[in-house]
Amino acid sequence: MTADHLAWVVPCFDEAARIDGPAFLTLVDEGELASLVFVDDGSRDETLAVLRGIARERPGQVEVIPLPKNQGKAEAVRQGLLRALARGAGIVGYVDADLATPPHELHRLAALARGGDIDILMGSRVQLLGRTIERSHSRHYLGRVFATCASLSLGLPVYDTQCGAKLFRRTEALSSALDRPFTSRWVFDVELLARLIRPGPGIAAIAVERIREEPLLSWTDVPGSKLRPAAALRSGLDLLRLGLRLRRR
């Protein structure tokens, strides 16, 4: 693989009814420059069979990693990113199985990640004129509160930490950030950013000027979210604990 090879990781849990195989395969139309790593997080339905069917369509470009039991989105993403890096990808990222961020936007993000001096590229759901961001009012306002707290915890002017479309260039900081499980199932995006901008001793941090948020042209809130009220509450508590740890450091 080359430095421009981009691997998308897709965490999946009970997604058999929502996975759009043909749409995902458009992400690997670039041939040797792109690949897909699906991680089945111990699904109870036919997700694994569906994923293996997609993989048979593009052998060598699509890989399926079956986890023996459900471990949560955070660990599924981590395992997928580790696998993509181990296979030699120069740029790795993850995207939600429901393709709330559509393929044409993922292609646009991929081009930006390859073409700029960027180590972290994050899709951002900003409702602006000329853009189509379809999101319920309740989730929008809850998201704004969460994003504000995340920004304060990280000490970064970040607008949207939870959009499920992110890309990372291969760096020592990224490898270090992925060497141990995340402490939270739901706010791992924030935890990953924290590990990248404040890595361990002897590891170069990702400079703020090499992090970019890109407002999406389109994004759709697809029904079937796994985030329940109790999980949302735990996410808030996890974010508070993460902020306290960062302040102590």
Side-chain angles (χ1 to χ4, degrees):
M1 292 185 182
T2 68
D4 281 339
H5 183 101
L6 190 153
W8 288 106
V9 171
V10 187
C12 303
F13 176 66
D14 289 355
E15 297 285 0
R18 297 202 300 175
I19 291 176
D20 187 341
F24 271 112
L25 289 178
T26 65
L27 299 180
V28 295
D29 283 344
E30 299 170 281
E32 295 182 357
L33 285 179
S35 58
L36 278 167
V37 180
F38 288 105
V39 183
D40 178 59
D41 188 21
S43 294
R44 300 160 299 183
D45 62 3
E46 297 302 311
T47 296
L48 184 56
V50 172
L51 297 180
R52 285 173 170 163
I54 297 172
R56 285 194 292 271
E57 295 289 324
R58 298 290 179 88
Q61 283 186 281
V62 180
E63 181 177 6
V64 179
I65 300 175
L67 300 183
K69 63 179 181 178
N70 179 254
Q71 299 181 52
K73 182 178 179 180
E75 184 61 13
V77 167
R78 190 179 77 92
Q79 291 293 337
L81 293 176
L82 286 171
R83 178 59 178 166
L85 290 172
R87 294 189 63 187
I91 302 171
V92 298
Y94 54 91
V95 61
D96 290 336
D98 60 11
L99 283 177
T101 306
H104 64 84
E105 280 290 77
L106 298 176
H107 280 293
R108 188 170 69 89
L109 293 178
L112 290 172
R114 289 189 177 110
D117 294 328
I118 304 169
D119 287 333
I120 304 173
L121 179 63
M122 305 162 53
S124 187
R125 298 163 293 185
V126 186
Q127 182 67 68
L128 299 169
L129 290 173
R131 287 170 165 78
T132 305
I133 306 297
E134 299 179 4
R135 197 179 189 191
S136 69
H137 292 299
S138 59
R139 293 196 71 175
H140 169 75
Y141 291 119
L142 284 173
R144 295 310 315 131
V145 171
F146 184 92
T148 299
C149 294
S151 179
L152 292 172
S153 296
L154 292 167
L156 292 175
V158 59
Y159 181 86
D160 186 2
T161 59
Q162 301 310 108
C163 178
K166 294 182 176 65
L167 288 163
F168 307 87
R169 191 170 298 280
R170 174 190 288 270
T171 60
E172 185 182 11
L174 179 61
S175 297
S176 174
L178 297 172
D179 68 359
R180 61 196 185 282
F182 297 107
T183 60
S184 170
R185 281 191 168 209
W186 294 106
V187 301
F188 73 93
D189 305 79
V190 182
E191 190 172 353
L192 177 55
L193 284 173
R195 293 182 183 187
L196 290 169
I197 63 174
R198 300 178 188 178
I203 298 172
I206 302 297
V208 174
E209 57 268 22
R210 295 185 66 86
I211 305 174
R212 173 173 169 179
E213 278 191 279
E214 177 63 22
L216 297 175
L217 298 176
S218 60
W219 186 92
T220 303
D221 193 353
V222 180
S225 170
K226 305 295 192 303
L227 184 60
R228 300 291 181 260
L233 177 59
R234 288 196 298 271
S235 297
L237 294 174
D238 286 349
L239 183 59
L240 176 61
R241 284 192 288 266
L242 177 61
L244 292 173
R245 287 203 305 271
L246 290 175
R247 286 182 180 277
R248 287 197 296 269
R249 289 173 61 183

